[in-house]
Amino acid sequence: MEDTERGYYGQFGGMYITEILNVCIHDLIRHYKRARSDASFWNEYQSLMMSYSGRPTPLTYAQNLSEYLGGAQIYIKREDLNHTGAHKINNVMGQGLLTKRMGKKRVIAETGAGQHGVATATMAAKFGFECEIYMGEIDVKRQRPNVFWMEKLGAKVNVVKDGTKCLKDAINAAFRDWSFSMDTTHYVLGTACGPHPFPEMVAWFQSIVGMEARQQVVAETGKMPSRIFACVGGGSNSLGIFSGFFDATSVELVGVEAGGLGLESGKHAARLVSSEGKIGVAQGMKTVFVQDNEGQMHETHSISAGLDYIGVSPILAHLRETKRVRFEAATDAEVVEAVRLTIRKEGIIPALESAHAFAQAIKEAPKMKKDEIIVVNQSGRGDKDIFIIADALKDPEWEKFIIEKAEAYNAGK
Ligand SMILES: *Cc1c(COP(=O)(O)O)cnc(C)c1O
């Protein structure tokens, strides 16, 4: 990757920040670089992830699914088995250790669906940090259970009422807080986006996924996989697993975006594979955003709450240009079918986000040879998606259950 001093990857990345944040970001860069060149930091990180999050996460051979599809052999990297149920904890615990090194005692974070907020609040409880989370008003209403857990974990949840009251507005609010609190506070950004050094730093913490996956797949099968599939929201889980294979040019890396109701519908979050993805500068970085013809940020849609960010990691935008990563999109309907199949064939419930990677693998596996290997990164577990999945599968028993609950509630029972 190029020009890592200023955080550019080809034409993407950089640090588009206010004067006041400059000091703080440069302080962060200094500490991050020192940690990165100090082997004891990574050792401490690895043993923390071992004792607290159950790492290394397993690589599971999906034998039934592979036989059913009749093509490539499918292996699943089980990030769903992490503490808090997804890969997000990898980034958050890494930044927690760095916060401790910087001598700071307060952390702030943005959250959309609430997953990153819960992970950050968990880390803050573990490290004994004060914690405030910024969350858009609409998301607060949609994601009550996550707000509940953040508060029980000791975090203060600040409701953001600016703009569209969603994730991008929460990010702006968190940057505003940081401008005034940088002496005591670290901003734990949740994905490989934002100004330098966040994209590189988050990708570094997530690289633990790819390191393990490469070692595991080679140990188990005696060879390298043909393709790796990962879903792409901001880009952290995909960069995490891909980074273990960047130098192995025979391994094809496939990033899967949220195709929503289809690319033609305009209701999707496909920044890298749709014509609505255009280069712009926002949220501290130059990258590809979903925009209309006037350059206005466009509302996104996805069945999964974790893939509908308007921008994407500048590192991935660059990897599209260099063609090291191939990008695809899976529609909501394909994703629901992938969840159904994975549950029935393997007894594994993927998060709706992760199911985008499964959907694409399911499309491609039958056309591949039986001795080829695929790795799907299961970024998280799907328990959290029970309401959406039940609704999408039109389960009649579930509908009866919901109606009974609603009637009991209305009757004041
Ligand atoms: C947040 C989330 C994602 C999307 O974020 P990335 O930074 O693109 O990895 C994907 N899967 C799950 C389970 C998530 O919680």
Side-chain angles (χ1 to χ4, degrees):
M1 274 165 220
E2 307 144 41
D3 197 2
T4 49
E5 269 311 302
R6 284 157 57 242
Y8 274 96
Y9 310 92
Q11 62 165 317
F12 301 107
M15 291 192 268
Y16 295 85
I17 48 174
T18 56
E19 190 80 19
I20 192 162
L21 274 175
N22 229 346
V23 182
C24 169
I25 290 258
H26 280 96
D27 189 47
L28 175 61
I29 292 174
R30 208 174 47 249
H31 280 97
Y32 157 64
K33 290 222 158 132
R34 209 177 293 156
R36 193 153 177 167
S37 61
D38 173 2
S40 75
F41 182 86
W42 189 263
N43 288 341
E44 189 182 355
Y45 170 64
Q46 249 181 334
S47 53
L48 175 65
M49 294 314 288
M50 204 185 286
S51 69
Y52 194 61
S53 197
R55 300 210 74 91
T57 58
L59 183 77
T60 303
Y61 175 37
Q63 187 172 2
N64 301 334
L65 188 61
S66 307
E67 280 170 9
Y68 174 77
L69 295 170
Q73 305 308 306
I74 301 171
Y75 286 78
I76 307 171
K77 180 59 175 162
R78 302 294 304 279
E79 290 304 294
D80 58 309
L81 294 180
N82 273 298
H83 179 45
T84 69
H87 70 291
K88 286 198 167 73
I89 197 80
N90 302 329
N91 167 42
V92 154
M93 296 310 284
Q95 291 200 46
L97 278 182
L98 202 60
T99 305
K100 211 168 78 177
R101 279 211 173 189
M102 291 188 288
K104 294 181 175 180
K105 298 239 157 40
R106 178 175 175 264
V107 289
I108 55 173
E110 85 291 349
T111 196
Q115 301 297 113
H116 176 57
V118 170
T120 303
T122 300
M123 175 274 278
K126 172 78 178 158
F127 281 110
F129 298 145
E130 194 189 323
C131 178
E132 288 191 40
I133 305 294
Y134 289 88
M135 188 169 187
E137 189 176 26
I138 293 179
D139 291 327
V140 167
K141 287 197 181 125
R142 279 197 292 221
Q143 307 288 343
R144 241 321 129 193
N146 283 334
V147 175
F148 175 84
W149 285 126
M150 281 183 256
E151 289 176 347
K152 296 309 129 192
L153 286 159
K156 176 162 181 261
V157 179
N158 297 307
V159 182
V160 179
K161 297 180 176 167
D162 311 325
T164 52
K165 305 179 175 65
C166 288
L167 177 60
K168 78 170 167 45
D169 312 292
I171 294 176
N172 291 336
F175 273 117
R176 216 172 304 129
D177 178 318
W178 207 26
S179 312
F180 295 108
S181 63
M182 52 198 184
D183 292 341
T184 58
T185 301
H186 174 61
Y187 176 15
V188 185
L189 214 149
T191 187
C193 285
H196 180 63
F198 284 107
E200 184 187 305
M201 183 172 73
V202 174
W204 181 49
F205 289 128
Q206 294 292 357
S207 72
I208 195 166
V209 180
M211 256 177 234
E212 287 175 10
R214 180 170 180 157
Q215 192 262 325
Q216 288 166 322
V217 73
V218 171
E220 181 146 342
T221 69
K223 57 184 182 184
M224 289 291 262
S226 301
R227 293 178 203 174
I228 312 270
F229 294 87
C231 65
V232 180
S236 69
N237 87 86
S238 54
L239 282 166
I241 193 153
F242 291 167
S243 67
F245 302 89
F246 279 145
D247 65 333
T249 49
S250 68
V251 182
E252 194 180 7
L253 308 173
V254 187
V256 189
E257 294 190 294
L261 302 180
L263 297 188
E264 328 70 46
S265 72
K267 292 189 164 37
H268 58 75
R271 293 112 335 152
L272 295 170
V273 296
S274 83
S275 57
E276 282 135 314
K278 298 183 181 76
I279 296 172
V281 173
Q283 309 244 280
M285 61 183 165
K286 182 177 182 186
T287 188
V288 178
F289 296 91
V290 175
Q291 300 171 53
D292 63 21
N293 287 332
E294 279 73 53
Q296 292 294 319
M297 300 291 163
H298 199 292
E299 262 191 46
T300 52
H301 165 83
S302 170
I303 192 169
S304 66
L307 298 189
D308 64 0
Y309 182 48
I310 48 162
V312 69
S313 177
I315 306 178
L316 287 176
H318 178 57
L319 289 167
R320 178 184 67 168
E321 286 201 342
T322 62
K323 300 196 161 57
R324 180 64 189 94
V325 178
R326 164 160 67 89
F327 290 93
E328 303 287 350
T331 64
D332 292 352
E334 290 166 337
V335 163
V336 171
E337 176 54 22
V339 169
R340 198 191 58 79
L341 198 61
T342 310
I343 294 175
R344 288 305 292 268
K345 293 291 169 197
E346 295 298 333
I348 290 173
I349 310 174
L352 281 167
E353 290 85 358
S354 322
H356 287 70
F358 278 96
Q360 191 62 32
I362 288 166
K363 268 186 243 177
E364 297 185 22
K367 298 175 215 152
M368 296 171 68
K369 294 197 209 81
K370 280 202 167 67
D371 64 351
E372 283 187 286
I373 288 158
I374 276 178
V375 179
V376 178
N377 197 30
Q378 183 172 345
S379 53
R381 64 173 186 230
D383 313 47
K384 68 183 176 61
D385 299 318
I386 182 166
F387 295 99
I388 303 169
I389 295 172
D391 197 38
L393 293 176
K394 302 205 181 348
D395 184 309
E397 287 303 312
W398 175 267
E399 278 169 27
K400 227 164 45 191
F401 169 76
I402 293 290
I403 290 165
E404 276 166 19
K405 284 272 171 212
E407 281 171 355
Y409 180 79
N410 290 334
K413 280 185 220 159

